[in-house]
Amino acid sequence: MDSLLLLCSRRLVSRHPLPAIPDDLYPALFRAAFLDGRLQVLRDLVAQWPFPELQFQRILGSRELLRDHSKLCIRTVVGAVAERLQMDLEEPGRDSSRRRLRTLDLTELPDGKSVGCGTVALAKACLELSKRRRRSWKSQKSQKSQKSRKSQKSREKPRKGHPGFSVDARSDFQVDDVSHRILRAALRSGNAGSPLRLRCREFRARKLPAESVAELLESLDPHGVEKVDLTFSILELLGLFLVLLTLPRFPALRSLRIRYVREDAWGKMPRWAPEMREFSEELGSLPGLRELRLGSFGFSGDLGRFLGKLQAPLEILELPFCSLLPADFSFLSRSSHAPALKTLDLSGHDFSGNLLEPLRQLLEKSSGSLLHLDLMECRLTDSHLESLLDSLRRCSRLRRLRILGNSFSAAALREFLRETAEFPELRLVVHPIPVDCFLSRRFPRRSGSRWVLEKRLDPGLWEAERAELGRILESSGRTDVVWTHDPHGHSAQSQSQFQSQSQSHCPSRS
């Protein structure tokens, strides 16, 4: 429910122009104007912003960022900051008695589209301000003699450091094959002296060539970069090495994610064991690294050589679809990482065979710290689930478990619910729809005599099973635990209000 302050603020921003307001009301009015898409009011508030910092996340929270007009509001705010800087360029020292905005903080926007929009808006503003600043300098120089130009230059040097003459724009950058060009130009221009200085906290790149990613990383200001998140469709050894070579320049880097969206491409690449030492050396030069997420990398016995040089234990380790072998699990179990792990993602590995026992050993070693465990699409069946229970019981701090994409019966899933109800910290389980809820039928292929097996979800059976799971949760006194088959919508669900889905879900990827 909206607070009285927000209700009054929304009423006030519905009128334009705003009356004279005290400084303390600026954040509340900014929040209301952003929520209602009052673009002119936003522009006026930023133009007179009385504080040194404007931080989106602190003022807005999260829900406003999901509105349809949020991208337009972000562009408006960035544009208003640029206008303010432009006025400072044209009239240095104007309104110097009023506190000036020094930091625009757009970090931690939850919506990916808003992040991308903010990246482009900041880059365009930076480029435009840089051009205007150069034109301003050229105009001043053309009106003076050589002697006057030297004198003017000496007088301008102290002014460059004036706290009101520039704004640090802190943001999470998200770039793709279109936006990376303008960001690259802005970073180069910004380094040359734009009054809007771009500062990156988290860098995300989607399906760019590794060479382009490395070039952008080289252009970032090294201080303040905490996360690097990269997704590639084509990735070669040389490209990956170029990216890793840029990372040691970021002393605050804590999280690295490199995801590979085409599993088949890695399989066509030559074995990379000879280059493992170089990769390990580059990772070892990151003293603050605590989170490592690598998707679809073909380690297959080389994990120890890859992680062997890390200076400190990892807290988050995600290795989905990385073709790990028993030797890799043995390395993890013996390493300093195991007792420090809070998040472990081993999705996409076949635990129906000789990897099950190494997995149990690893879980026991990390049982004292483990909070989140992902075992999706791991070919687990009822017997494997029962075998894992002994190891999971040791993980007394476990809060989230995702086992979607495995083949469990309704009876096994119910029993697993009863057993995990005793886990004191568990709050979320993402599970597959039981195989019992699918109906199978065979039909002939169009071009041959072979038959195809098709499985379709029976809505009635699944509805009854959902109701039974809800009753078990209620009778166990664990209405604080969310059991869901939806990997994305669980944040808004409760265990007593399961959301129906019209789409069919296969119980296993295989």
Side-chain angles (χ1 to χ4, degrees):
M1 183 178 295
D2 291 340
S3 66
L4 180 59
L5 176 61
L6 179 58
L7 290 173
C8 294
S9 299
R10 297 178 77 168
R11 181 64 178 270
L12 187 58
V13 299
S14 65
R15 304 174 182 178
H16 185 267
L18 290 175
I21 55 176
D23 291 353
D24 291 345
L25 286 182
Y26 270 78
L29 294 177
F30 183 93
R31 187 169 186 259
F34 196 101
L35 176 63
D36 292 347
R38 306 288 182 179
L39 304 184
Q40 188 58 52
V41 175
L42 279 176
R43 186 176 290 107
D44 293 348
L45 289 171
V46 174
Q48 298 296 322
W49 195 255
F51 307 110
E53 183 178 37
L54 198 169
Q55 186 179 18
F56 268 48
Q57 181 63 18
R58 183 183 300 169
I59 296 175
L60 299 175
S62 59
R63 68 170 189 169
E64 289 80 10
L65 300 172
L66 304 178
R67 301 283 177 171
D68 293 337
H69 54 250
S70 62
K71 293 192 292 184
L72 191 56
C73 290
I74 290 172
R75 295 192 192 101
T76 299
V77 171
V78 173
V81 172
E83 291 173 6
R84 185 167 177 168
L85 287 171
Q86 175 60 24
M87 295 178 69
D88 284 338
L89 283 175
E90 297 172 352
E91 304 177 48
R94 186 185 64 87
D95 197 18
S96 58
S97 62
R98 190 172 179 81
R99 286 171 288 180
R100 289 172 176 266
L101 179 67
R102 300 181 185 179
T103 302
L104 174 64
D105 194 329
L106 294 173
T107 58
E108 300 185 59
L109 301 183
D111 181 21
K113 293 182 179 180
S114 296
V115 175
C117 169
T119 301
V120 173
L122 288 172
K124 289 182 176 179
C126 181
L127 277 174
E128 182 61 27
L129 285 167
S130 182
K131 292 177 182 178
R132 293 196 178 195
R133 192 177 208 182
R134 287 195 297 269
R135 286 199 296 264
S136 177
W137 286 348
K138 290 179 180 179
S139 175
Q140 292 177 15
K141 290 181 179 180
S142 65
Q143 298 175 4
K144 301 180 181 295
S145 64
Q146 184 68 26
K147 184 177 179 179
S148 298
R149 289 200 300 268
K150 291 182 179 180
S151 176
Q152 178 69 14
K153 184 177 181 181
S154 64
R155 288 197 298 268
E156 284 181 350
K157 283 184 177 179
R159 194 186 302 154
K160 289 183 182 180
H162 192 280
F165 194 65
S166 61
V167 170
D168 284 343
R170 298 186 68 246
S171 180
D172 297 330
F173 293 165
Q174 179 167 302
V175 294
D176 53 26
D177 57 346
V178 176
S179 60
H180 85 281
R181 295 181 179 86
I182 188 171
L183 179 61
R184 178 181 59 191
L187 291 172
R188 291 174 176 174
S189 175
N191 292 336
S194 172
L196 185 63
R197 300 180 296 195
L198 304 185
R199 301 288 186 262
C200 177
R201 184 191 70 106
E202 178 177 350
F203 179 84
R204 311 174 197 168
R206 297 290 179 262
K207 300 182 181 180
L208 285 180
E211 294 78 5
S212 299
V213 172
E215 185 180 18
L216 287 173
L217 290 173
E218 285 284 358
S219 301
L220 294 176
D221 181 84
H223 302 287
V225 177
E226 301 175 6
K227 298 181 179 181
V228 173
D229 185 341
L230 311 174
T231 299
F232 294 98
S233 56
I234 298 296
L235 184 60
E236 298 178 351
L237 290 177
L238 178 59
L240 179 58
F241 195 47
L242 288 175
V243 171
L244 290 178
L245 281 174
T246 66
L247 299 181
R249 63 189 301 268
F250 303 119
L253 187 65
R254 178 180 177 84
S255 174
L256 173 63
R257 182 190 187 200
I258 302 178
R259 191 166 65 95
Y260 206 33
V261 296
R262 288 182 56 189
E263 299 174 32
D264 60 326
W266 189 271
K268 297 176 182 178
M269 293 171 59
R271 290 290 297 167
W272 60 311
E275 291 80 10
M276 195 68 65
R277 177 177 298 180
E278 286 77 6
F279 287 102
S280 178
E281 293 288 346
E282 296 305 324
L283 283 181
S285 62
L286 303 173
L289 192 65
R290 297 296 182 273
E291 305 174 9
L292 186 61
R293 299 171 168 91
L294 302 173
S296 302
F297 278 62
F299 290 112
S300 299
D302 291 322
L303 186 64
R305 279 185 281 182
F306 191 83
L307 303 182
K309 297 292 185 178
L310 289 178
Q311 299 183 28
L314 294 171
E315 297 177 0
I316 295 178
L317 180 61
E318 297 182 0
L319 300 171
F321 300 96
C322 282
S323 306
L324 299 183
L325 298 179
D328 300 311
F329 284 90
S330 297
F331 161 76
L332 284 177
S333 297
R334 297 191 309 267
S335 71
S336 61
H337 307 298
L341 287 175
K342 296 180 180 179
T343 295
L344 179 63
D345 186 353
L346 297 171
S347 300
H349 290 89
D350 185 357
F351 291 115
S352 63
N354 62 349
L355 289 182
L356 184 61
E357 186 57 31
L359 170 64
R360 292 183 57 188
Q361 295 174 5
L362 177 58
L363 292 179
E364 292 173 7
K365 292 291 184 179
S366 58
S367 59
S369 60
L370 195 62
L371 303 179
H372 304 149
L373 176 63
D374 286 5
L375 297 174
M376 298 189 294
E377 301 186 32
C378 289
R379 298 180 182 269
L380 295 172
T381 61
D382 293 359
S383 60
H384 307 125
L385 192 62
E386 183 179 357
S387 179
L388 281 175
L389 260 176
D390 291 337
S391 301
L392 291 175
R393 287 192 186 97
R394 298 172 181 252
C395 303
S396 58
R397 302 179 60 190
L398 192 65
R399 298 177 186 174
R400 185 192 72 191
L401 175 64
R402 299 203 297 175
I403 51 177
L404 193 70
N406 296 292
S407 300
F408 303 136
S409 67
L413 205 58
R414 294 176 194 172
E415 183 60 27
F416 187 70
L417 191 157
R418 294 187 183 97
E419 294 287 344
T420 56
E422 300 177 3
F423 293 11
E425 300 295 327
L426 191 64
R427 293 295 181 270
L428 172 66
V429 178
V430 182
H431 63 86
I433 297 177
V435 294
D436 315 56
C437 298
F438 289 84
L439 300 178
S440 300
R441 72 183 184 92
R442 295 181 180 273
F443 61 93
R445 291 182 183 270
R446 292 181 178 179
S447 59
S449 59
R450 292 185 179 182
W451 290 72
V452 175
L453 180 64
E454 181 186 54
K455 293 186 176 181
R456 289 186 177 275
L457 179 66
D458 185 309
L461 291 175
W462 172 225
E463 184 68 26
E465 186 57 33
R466 284 191 305 159
E468 181 61 25
L469 292 174
R471 284 192 291 268
I472 295 175
L473 276 173
E474 186 174 358
S475 63
S476 300
R478 293 305 306 272
T479 55
D480 57 332
V481 182
V482 174
W483 268 63
T484 177
H485 63 288
D486 184 353
H488 304 294
H490 55 75
S491 59
Q493 288 183 338
S494 67
Q495 63 294 334
S496 60
Q497 190 177 7
F498 289 95
Q499 301 294 328
S500 61
Q501 279 192 340
S502 58
Q503 296 180 347
S504 298
H505 290 266
C506 294
S508 174
R509 176 178 173 174
S510 59

PDB file of all heavy atoms in Angstrom, residues 144-162:
ATOM      1  N   LYS A 144      41.457  34.631 -29.246  1.00  0.00           N
ATOM      2  CA  LYS A 144      42.567  35.199 -28.491  1.00  0.00           C
ATOM      3  C   LYS A 144      43.869  35.021 -29.251  1.00  0.00           C
ATOM      4  O   LYS A 144      44.000  34.142 -30.096  1.00  0.00           O
ATOM      5  CB  LYS A 144      42.661  34.557 -27.108  1.00  0.00           C
ATOM      6  CG  LYS A 144      41.394  34.737 -26.268  1.00  0.00           C
ATOM      7  CD  LYS A 144      41.537  34.097 -24.911  1.00  0.00           C
ATOM      8  CE  LYS A 144      40.266  34.269 -24.088  1.00  0.00           C
ATOM      9  NZ  LYS A 144      39.979  35.655 -23.768  1.00  0.00           N
ATOM     10  N   SER A 145      44.816  35.802 -28.907  1.00  0.00           N
ATOM     11  CA  SER A 145      46.149  35.687 -29.484  1.00  0.00           C
ATOM     12  C   SER A 145      46.873  34.523 -28.849  1.00  0.00           C
ATOM     13  O   SER A 145      46.401  33.915 -27.882  1.00  0.00           O
ATOM     14  CB  SER A 145      46.936  36.982 -29.236  1.00  0.00           C
ATOM     15  OG  SER A 145      47.119  37.159 -27.833  1.00  0.00           O
ATOM     16  N   GLN A 146      48.071  34.180 -29.382  1.00  0.00           N
ATOM     17  CA  GLN A 146      48.836  33.071 -28.847  1.00  0.00           C
ATOM     18  C   GLN A 146      49.163  33.294 -27.374  1.00  0.00           C
ATOM     19  O   GLN A 146      49.071  32.374 -26.572  1.00  0.00           O
ATOM     20  CB  GLN A 146      50.138  32.912 -29.646  1.00  0.00           C
ATOM     21  CG  GLN A 146      50.985  31.721 -29.235  1.00  0.00           C
ATOM     22  CD  GLN A 146      50.315  30.405 -29.578  1.00  0.00           C
ATOM     23  OE1 GLN A 146      49.510  30.355 -30.511  1.00  0.00           O
ATOM     24  NE2 GLN A 146      50.630  29.374 -28.829  1.00  0.00           N
ATOM     25  N   LYS A 147      49.513  34.503 -27.021  1.00  0.00           N
ATOM     26  CA  LYS A 147      49.850  34.789 -25.634  1.00  0.00           C
ATOM     27  C   LYS A 147      48.629  34.661 -24.738  1.00  0.00           C
ATOM     28  O   LYS A 147      48.696  34.133 -23.629  1.00  0.00           O
ATOM     29  CB  LYS A 147      50.420  36.202 -25.528  1.00  0.00           C
ATOM     30  CG  LYS A 147      50.886  36.565 -24.134  1.00  0.00           C
ATOM     31  CD  LYS A 147      51.516  37.951 -24.132  1.00  0.00           C
ATOM     32  CE  LYS A 147      51.967  38.331 -22.726  1.00  0.00           C
ATOM     33  NZ  LYS A 147      52.597  39.667 -22.692  1.00  0.00           N
ATOM     34  N   SER A 148      47.491  35.153 -25.232  1.00  0.00           N
ATOM     35  CA  SER A 148      46.268  35.063 -24.446  1.00  0.00           C
ATOM     36  C   SER A 148      45.821  33.620 -24.290  1.00  0.00           C
ATOM     37  O   SER A 148      45.291  33.229 -23.257  1.00  0.00           O
ATOM     38  CB  SER A 148      45.154  35.870 -25.102  1.00  0.00           C
ATOM     39  OG  SER A 148      45.503  37.221 -25.170  1.00  0.00           O
ATOM     40  N   ARG A 149      46.049  32.824 -25.342  1.00  0.00           N
ATOM     41  CA  ARG A 149      45.659  31.415 -25.247  1.00  0.00           C
ATOM     42  C   ARG A 149      46.447  30.699 -24.168  1.00  0.00           C
ATOM     43  O   ARG A 149      45.909  29.871 -23.427  1.00  0.00           O
ATOM     44  CB  ARG A 149      45.841  30.724 -26.594  1.00  0.00           C
ATOM     45  CG  ARG A 149      44.825  31.151 -27.642  1.00  0.00           C
ATOM     46  CD  ARG A 149      44.739  30.127 -28.759  1.00  0.00           C
ATOM     47  NE  ARG A 149      46.018  29.960 -29.419  1.00  0.00           N
ATOM     48  CZ  ARG A 149      46.392  30.659 -30.493  1.00  0.00           C
ATOM     49  NH1 ARG A 149      45.586  31.594 -30.988  1.00  0.00           N
ATOM     50  NH2 ARG A 149      47.562  30.439 -31.056  1.00  0.00           N
ATOM     51  N   LYS A 150      47.735  30.992 -24.081  1.00  0.00           N
ATOM     52  CA  LYS A 150      48.540  30.349 -23.036  1.00  0.00           C
ATOM     53  C   LYS A 150      48.068  30.758 -21.651  1.00  0.00           C
ATOM     54  O   LYS A 150      47.994  29.954 -20.739  1.00  0.00           O
ATOM     55  CB  LYS A 150      50.013  30.724 -23.235  1.00  0.00           C
ATOM     56  CG  LYS A 150      50.638  30.106 -24.470  1.00  0.00           C
ATOM     57  CD  LYS A 150      52.096  30.481 -24.570  1.00  0.00           C
ATOM     58  CE  LYS A 150      52.736  29.849 -25.805  1.00  0.00           C
ATOM     59  NZ  LYS A 150      54.176  30.217 -25.926  1.00  0.00           N
ATOM     60  N   SER A 151      47.742  32.034 -21.520  1.00  0.00           N
ATOM     61  CA  SER A 151      47.258  32.523 -20.227  1.00  0.00           C
ATOM     62  C   SER A 151      45.917  31.896 -19.875  1.00  0.00           C
ATOM     63  O   SER A 151      45.671  31.482 -18.749  1.00  0.00           O
ATOM     64  CB  SER A 151      47.124  34.047 -20.269  1.00  0.00           C
ATOM     65  OG  SER A 151      46.570  34.529 -19.070  1.00  0.00           O
ATOM     66  N   GLN A 152      45.049  31.805 -20.885  1.00  0.00           N
ATOM     67  CA  GLN A 152      43.736  31.190 -20.659  1.00  0.00           C
ATOM     68  C   GLN A 152      43.887  29.736 -20.289  1.00  0.00           C
ATOM     69  O   GLN A 152      43.181  29.218 -19.420  1.00  0.00           O
ATOM     70  CB  GLN A 152      42.884  31.318 -21.922  1.00  0.00           C
ATOM     71  CG  GLN A 152      41.502  30.675 -21.812  1.00  0.00           C
ATOM     72  CD  GLN A 152      40.615  31.449 -20.854  1.00  0.00           C
ATOM     73  OE1 GLN A 152      40.927  32.586 -20.486  1.00  0.00           O
ATOM     74  NE2 GLN A 152      39.526  30.845 -20.425  1.00  0.00           N
ATOM     75  N   LYS A 153      44.817  29.036 -20.928  1.00  0.00           N
ATOM     76  CA  LYS A 153      45.029  27.622 -20.639  1.00  0.00           C
ATOM     77  C   LYS A 153      45.481  27.419 -19.204  1.00  0.00           C
ATOM     78  O   LYS A 153      45.043  26.512 -18.512  1.00  0.00           O
ATOM     79  CB  LYS A 153      46.054  27.045 -21.614  1.00  0.00           C
ATOM     80  CG  LYS A 153      46.270  25.554 -21.470  1.00  0.00           C
ATOM     81  CD  LYS A 153      47.239  25.052 -22.528  1.00  0.00           C
ATOM     82  CE  LYS A 153      47.426  23.544 -22.388  1.00  0.00           C
ATOM     83  NZ  LYS A 153      48.375  23.026 -23.391  1.00  0.00           N
ATOM     84  N   SER A 154      46.370  28.289 -18.745  1.00  0.00           N
ATOM     85  CA  SER A 154      46.846  28.160 -17.373  1.00  0.00           C
ATOM     86  C   SER A 154      45.747  28.453 -16.370  1.00  0.00           C
ATOM     87  O   SER A 154      45.720  27.900 -15.280  1.00  0.00           O
ATOM     88  CB  SER A 154      48.027  29.107 -17.150  1.00  0.00           C
ATOM     89  OG  SER A 154      47.608  30.462 -17.282  1.00  0.00           O
ATOM     90  N   ARG A 155      44.826  29.359 -16.739  1.00  0.00           N
ATOM     91  CA  ARG A 155      43.721  29.645 -15.831  1.00  0.00           C
ATOM     92  C   ARG A 155      42.677  28.539 -15.819  1.00  0.00           C
ATOM     93  O   ARG A 155      41.977  28.347 -14.844  1.00  0.00           O
ATOM     94  CB  ARG A 155      43.061  30.969 -16.227  1.00  0.00           C
ATOM     95  CG  ARG A 155      43.895  32.200 -15.911  1.00  0.00           C
ATOM     96  CD  ARG A 155      43.015  33.431 -15.949  1.00  0.00           C
ATOM     97  NE  ARG A 155      42.442  33.649 -17.269  1.00  0.00           N
ATOM     98  CZ  ARG A 155      43.000  34.393 -18.203  1.00  0.00           C
ATOM     99  NH1 ARG A 155      44.177  34.963 -17.979  1.00  0.00           N
ATOM    100  NH2 ARG A 155      42.413  34.567 -19.366  1.00  0.00           N
ATOM    101  N   GLU A 156      42.562  27.794 -16.918  1.00  0.00           N
ATOM    102  CA  GLU A 156      41.546  26.752 -16.993  1.00  0.00           C
ATOM    103  C   GLU A 156      41.927  25.493 -16.236  1.00  0.00           C
ATOM    104  O   GLU A 156      41.082  24.729 -15.822  1.00  0.00           O
ATOM    105  CB  GLU A 156      41.280  26.377 -18.452  1.00  0.00           C
ATOM    106  CG  GLU A 156      40.438  27.399 -19.180  1.00  0.00           C
ATOM    107  CD  GLU A 156      40.180  26.977 -20.608  1.00  0.00           C
ATOM    108  OE1 GLU A 156      40.805  26.001 -21.046  1.00  0.00           O
ATOM    109  OE2 GLU A 156      39.357  27.615 -21.270  1.00  0.00           O
ATOM    110  N   LYS A 157      43.213  25.264 -16.053  1.00  0.00           N
ATOM    111  CA  LYS A 157      43.644  24.008 -15.435  1.00  0.00           C
ATOM    112  C   LYS A 157      43.040  23.785 -14.059  1.00  0.00           C
ATOM    113  O   LYS A 157      42.517  22.722 -13.778  1.00  0.00           O
ATOM    114  CB  LYS A 157      45.166  23.953 -15.385  1.00  0.00           C
ATOM    115  CG  LYS A 157      45.800  23.622 -16.727  1.00  0.00           C
ATOM    116  CD  LYS A 157      47.295  23.481 -16.594  1.00  0.00           C
ATOM    117  CE  LYS A 157      47.912  23.087 -17.936  1.00  0.00           C
ATOM    118  NZ  LYS A 157      49.384  22.960 -17.839  1.00  0.00           N
ATOM    119  N   PRO A 158      43.070  24.772 -13.141  1.00  0.00           N
ATOM    120  CA  PRO A 158      42.460  24.516 -11.832  1.00  0.00           C
ATOM    121  C   PRO A 158      40.973  24.260 -11.920  1.00  0.00           C
ATOM    122  O   PRO A 158      40.417  23.524 -11.136  1.00  0.00           O
ATOM    123  CB  PRO A 158      42.768  25.804 -11.049  1.00  0.00           C
ATOM    124  CG  PRO A 158      43.893  26.451 -11.778  1.00  0.00           C
ATOM    125  CD  PRO A 158      43.686  26.092 -13.215  1.00  0.00           C
ATOM    126  N   ARG A 159      40.311  24.914 -12.940  1.00  0.00           N
ATOM    127  CA  ARG A 159      38.857  24.769 -13.012  1.00  0.00           C
ATOM    128  C   ARG A 159      38.434  23.351 -13.379  1.00  0.00           C
ATOM    129  O   ARG A 159      37.350  22.909 -13.065  1.00  0.00           O
ATOM    130  CB  ARG A 159      38.298  25.761 -14.022  1.00  0.00           C
ATOM    131  CG  ARG A 159      36.791  25.933 -13.930  1.00  0.00           C
ATOM    132  CD  ARG A 159      36.281  26.798 -15.043  1.00  0.00           C
ATOM    133  NE  ARG A 159      36.922  28.098 -15.008  1.00  0.00           N
ATOM    134  CZ  ARG A 159      37.056  28.854 -16.094  1.00  0.00           C
ATOM    135  NH1 ARG A 159      36.618  28.414 -17.254  1.00  0.00           N
ATOM    136  NH2 ARG A 159      37.646  30.031 -16.017  1.00  0.00           N
ATOM    137  N   LYS A 160      39.303  22.587 -14.060  1.00  0.00           N
ATOM    138  CA  LYS A 160      38.938  21.234 -14.454  1.00  0.00           C
ATOM    139  C   LYS A 160      38.661  20.357 -13.254  1.00  0.00           C
ATOM    140  O   LYS A 160      37.908  19.412 -13.323  1.00  0.00           O
ATOM    141  CB  LYS A 160      40.048  20.624 -15.312  1.00  0.00           C
ATOM    142  CG  LYS A 160      40.158  21.234 -16.698  1.00  0.00           C
ATOM    143  CD  LYS A 160      41.230  20.527 -17.489  1.00  0.00           C
ATOM    144  CE  LYS A 160      41.377  21.156 -18.876  1.00  0.00           C
ATOM    145  NZ  LYS A 160      42.415  20.478 -19.664  1.00  0.00           N
ATOM    146  N   GLY A 161      39.300  20.654 -12.156  1.00  0.00           N
ATOM    147  CA  GLY A 161      39.106  19.845 -10.962  1.00  0.00           C
ATOM    148  C   GLY A 161      37.988  20.342 -10.078  1.00  0.00           C
ATOM    149  O   GLY A 161      37.815  19.848  -8.980  1.00  0.00           O
ATOM    150  N   HIS A 162      37.286  21.369 -10.501  1.00  0.00           N
ATOM    151  CA  HIS A 162      36.196  21.909  -9.694  1.00  0.00           C
ATOM    152  C   HIS A 162      35.133  20.841  -9.474  1.00  0.00           C
ATOM    153  O   HIS A 162      34.683  20.192 -10.400  1.00  0.00           O
ATOM    154  CB  HIS A 162      35.579  23.122 -10.406  1.00  0.00           C
ATOM    155  CG  HIS A 162      34.653  23.904  -9.532  1.00  0.00           C
ATOM    156  ND1 HIS A 162      33.362  23.514  -9.296  1.00  0.00           N
ATOM    157  CD2 HIS A 162      34.837  25.041  -8.812  1.00  0.00           C
ATOM    158  CE1 HIS A 162      32.766  24.389  -8.493  1.00  0.00           C
ATOM    159  NE2 HIS A 162      33.647  25.315  -8.189  1.00  0.00           N
TER     160      HIS A 162
END
